[in-house]
Amino acid sequence: GELGDLSREPVCVCWLLRMPAVPPKFDAAAAKALGVPSGPLRGKLCAGQCVALADGSEVRPEQVLRGGSAGEELLLVDVASPSQLCELRRHPLLSADRLAALSAVVHLTPAAVAATAAYRAFCGALPAAARQLLLHGSPPPRRFAFVASARLQLKLGALNSEVFPPPRGLACEGGDGGERSELRRESGGADLHEGEMLTRLVL
């Protein structure tokens, strides 16, 4: 099927998170200076509507609203194989126009996959303005990026370890702690930052 042979590689989930927009703040001092009385007129300005004062002058929302921004978008990428990366890149949510507003990318992909030419090309194709954070190095044993998720996966694994394998960091406690990805150097100039999993799961 579209997901491939699930018995040969783990199922991975990637997330595109859209944060809510930050509304602008009402500048009461500016409104008072323009002669806008307290009450419904100020509410209309906050709602983005122009208002007419008693003297016939018009006040526009941008004259009394300060700040505000569109909601940021964050992409979490965790793929276990190059074939899964191909499936991810074909997803309609990852088209170039949909990713234009991307603020940051968190890479949870294993280092062996992240070091491939296909993954380096994927990173280089992401918007230049998006900060990319790498969390796929060899972390110390039993350290996880998402504690609640790892704890839940451990509990589900007690029911069926084939369907719910142990978290990757727990299943592979070995490894060379000095391993460092060459992704930053070979990703076509993408702004990549080596990261570390900062939270700990206590068993």
Side-chain angles (χ1 to χ4, degrees), residues 6-7 12 25 45 50 54 84 91 128-129 150 165 176-177 181 187 190 197 199:
L6 300 185
S7 64
C12 296
K25 294 184 178 181
L45 288 168
C50 297
Q84 289 185 344
H91 198 285
D176 179 9
S181 171
S187 61
M197 298 181 180
T199 51

Side-chain angles (χ1 to χ4, degrees), residues 1 30 43 62 130 161 165 176 198 202:
E62 58 267 25
S161 60
D176 179 9
L198 300 179
V202 180

